[in-house]
């Protein structure tokens, strides 16, 4: 069967368990030998009926499945649903809400929320490669919409005007390259410059707006400032790349998700930047395949109220990609 190109084809493709198995085996064990994710032994036997492997290596007779050591571990949801959900998240330009996903896939909204949220976690880009060349840095505020909030939540959150109830997000964009975004506690010099040092290669051309917080970076960067009170573009000096990105991000959040709890915002940022950073030179199947590879080695711990993530067990060769 040929690799799927559309959502419809993907749903059909992954409705077959053996196809899911072949796909995930090739992804997890590209060298062709299935190994126990816990002890690394290749003395394993596939038990068709239970759809698990049995390990005869160091830890005798222990079972593991295709889901072991991935974000899907411990989830009773079938691979067909997981993979279809992943396809939806990475290939819908503006994301997909849990309500929509529930309807499309015939699952409950609660389940869809869990799938959606786990997938966002897999989409986090752990790469430490710094931005270089021409780099824009800028911040924005993301806030929930009061009308869609529960009344108790509204009382708690809407305490003033302006930016008080919003969450500050810092963005760094390498022109022609990747965007990196993160939730920041404030727009103070210390906070914003720490992000710049962390994500931007020394010697790069750095473009920001006229904000005192960016003062003092010219020793390390070719820092150029555009004063938005005067003009938005001065030749090469602008932050239009990030302005466009913020517009896209806000459209997704307000259009698809309506409102996002500040605590979860970083996950939505990861989701949006995954799609943005992999939008070019990649078809839907490859965008999906890369994300599927990232599902391995990450797990969301529901019992601790989504608040803690644990990397699955002792899994030496399953790295976070
Ligand atoms: Zn083992």
């Amino acid at each position: 069967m040929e690799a799927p190109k559309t959502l419809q084809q993907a749903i059909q493709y992954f409705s077959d368990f053996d196809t899911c198995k072949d796909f995930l085996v090739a992804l997890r064990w590209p060298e062709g030998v299935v190994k126990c994710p816990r002890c690394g032994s290749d003395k394993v036997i596939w038990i068709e009926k239970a759809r698990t492997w049995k390990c005869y290596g160091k830890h005798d007779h222990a079972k593991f499945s295709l889901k072991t050591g991935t974000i899907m571990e411990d989830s009773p949801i079938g691979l067909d649903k997981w993979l279809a959900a992943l396809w939806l998240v990475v290939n819908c330009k503006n994301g997909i809400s849990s309500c929509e996903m529930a309807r499309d896939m015939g699952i409950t909204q609660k389940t869809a929320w869990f799938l959606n949220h786990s997938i966002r976690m897999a989409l986090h880009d752990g790469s430490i490669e710094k931005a270089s060349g021409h780099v824009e840095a800028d911040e924005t505020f993301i806030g929930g919409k009061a009308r869609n909030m529960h009344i108790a939540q509204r009382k708690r959150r809407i305490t003033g005007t302006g930016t008080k109830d919003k969450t500050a997000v810092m963005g760094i964009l390498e022109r022609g390259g990747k965007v990196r975004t993160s939730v920041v506690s404030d727009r103070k010099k210390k906070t914003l410059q720490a992000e710049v040092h962390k994500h931007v290669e020394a010697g790069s051309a750095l473009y920001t707006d006229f904000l005192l917080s960016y003062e003092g970076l010219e020793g390390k960067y070719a820092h150029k400032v555009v004063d938005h009170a005067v003009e938005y573009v001065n030749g090469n000096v602008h932050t239009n790349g990030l302005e466009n990105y913020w517009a896209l991000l806000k459209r997704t959040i307000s259009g698809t998700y309506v409102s996002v709890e500040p605590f979860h915002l970083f996950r939505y940022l990861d989701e949006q930047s995954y799609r943005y950073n992999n939008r070019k030179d990649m078809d839907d199947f490859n965008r999906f395949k890369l994300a599927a590879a990232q599902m391995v080695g990450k797990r969301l711990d529901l019992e601790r109220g989504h608040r803690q993530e644990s990397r699955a067990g002792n899994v030496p060769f399953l790295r976070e990609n």
Side-chain angles (χ1 to χ4, degrees), residues 36 38-39 55 59:
C36 169
R38 299 217 165 83
C39 72
C55 170
H59 68 294

Side-chain angles (χ1 to χ4, degrees), residues 292-312:
Q294 290 186 196
M295 296 206 296
V296 170
K298 292 180 183 173
R299 196 157 69 94
L300 195 69
D301 200 331
L302 256 192
E303 307 224 290
R304 276 173 263 176
H306 319 294
R307 267 151 218 271
Q308 284 189 22
E309 301 150 23
S310 61
R311 289 177 74 174

Side-chain angles (χ1 to χ4, degrees), residues 6 72 76 79 95 103 121 131-132 141 184 189 195 220 222 229-230 232 309 315:
T6 64
M72 303 180 282
L79 292 173
R103 260 201 316 273
M121 185 184 155
S132 60
F141 287 93
V184 287
K189 192 171 184 167
E195 289 294 313
K220 190 171 169 186
V230 181
Y232 270 83
E309 301 150 23
V315 196

Side-chain angles (χ1 to χ4, degrees), residues 250-263:
K250 287 174 184 181
R251 199 157 59 231
T252 298
I253 288 178
S254 63
T256 306
Y257 302 113
V258 186
S259 80
V260 168
E261 279 285 329
F263 174 76

Side-chain angles (χ1 to χ4, degrees), residues 82-319:
W82 272 103
L83 295 173
L86 182 66
W87 186 284
L88 278 167
V89 174
V90 299
N91 290 324
C92 292
K93 210 173 162 222
N94 293 313
I96 180 159
S97 70
S98 51
C99 289
E100 249 180 297
M101 185 187 279
R103 260 201 316 273
D104 288 356
M105 295 180 36
I107 54 180
T108 67
Q109 198 219 331
K110 206 177 151 193
T111 299
W113 190 92
F114 173 73
L115 293 181
N116 229 334
H117 212 61
S118 305
I119 286 166
R120 278 184 205 114
M121 185 184 155
L123 297 183
H124 173 74
D125 185 358
S127 98
I128 43 159
E129 209 179 306
K130 286 187 171 185
S132 60
H134 295 268
V135 182
E136 298 177 17
D138 193 25
E139 341 73 50
T140 193
F141 287 93
I142 311 258
K145 279 188 179 160
R147 68 188 162 88
N148 295 306
M149 252 181 231
H150 187 266
I151 192 127
Q153 201 180 20
R154 193 181 314 180
K155 274 186 187 153
R156 202 172 68 235
R157 295 257 292 276
I158 309 297
T159 49
T161 50
T163 57
K164 216 174 168 186
D165 301 299
K166 299 191 172 209
T167 309
V169 173
M170 165 91 178
I172 287 165
L173 173 75
E174 179 180 313
R175 285 188 192 157
K178 289 186 174 184
V179 69
R180 297 143 182 81
T181 47
S182 45
V183 171
V184 287
S185 51
D186 52 63
R187 296 166 82 200
K188 288 178 185 153
K189 192 171 184 167
K190 205 177 148 193
T191 312
L192 299 189
Q193 295 204 2
E195 289 294 313
V196 171
H197 291 305
K198 191 172 153 195
H199 295 293
V200 187
E201 199 84 67
S204 305
L206 181 71
Y207 308 106
T208 69
D209 62 9
F210 182 77
L211 183 71
L212 289 176
S213 298
Y214 291 113
E215 243 178 33
L217 286 166
E218 47 301 326
K220 190 171 169 186
Y221 304 101
H223 186 200
K224 298 215 173 82
V225 168
V226 59
D227 188 350
H228 284 170
V230 181
E231 61 195 349
Y232 270 83
V233 180
N234 181 357
N236 225 356
V237 187
H238 61 79
T239 55
N240 283 358
L242 270 174
E243 301 293 344
N244 291 338
Y245 186 75
W246 296 142
L248 194 72
L249 176 70
K250 287 174 184 181
R251 199 157 59 231
T252 298
I253 288 178
S254 63
T256 306
Y257 302 113
V258 186
S259 80
V260 168
E261 279 285 329
F263 174 76
H264 291 308
L265 182 61
F266 74 106
R267 294 251 181 263
Y268 292 83
L269 296 180
D270 286 343
E271 178 194 323
Q272 188 74 13
S273 57
Y274 179 87
R275 281 191 298 262
Y276 183 86
N277 291 338
N278 296 297
R279 72 197 186 283
K280 284 190 239 160
D281 311 319
M282 211 184 247
D283 61 11
D284 284 12
F285 179 71
N286 281 300
R287 191 175 303 108
F288 161 81
K289 199 174 157 190
L290 178 67
Q294 290 186 196
M295 296 206 296
V296 170
K298 292 180 183 173
R299 196 157 69 94
L300 195 69
D301 200 331
L302 256 192
E303 307 224 290
R304 276 173 263 176
H306 319 294
R307 267 151 218 271
Q308 284 189 22
E309 301 150 23
S310 61
R311 289 177 74 174
N314 226 338
V315 196
F317 63 93
L318 299 176
R319 288 182 304 274

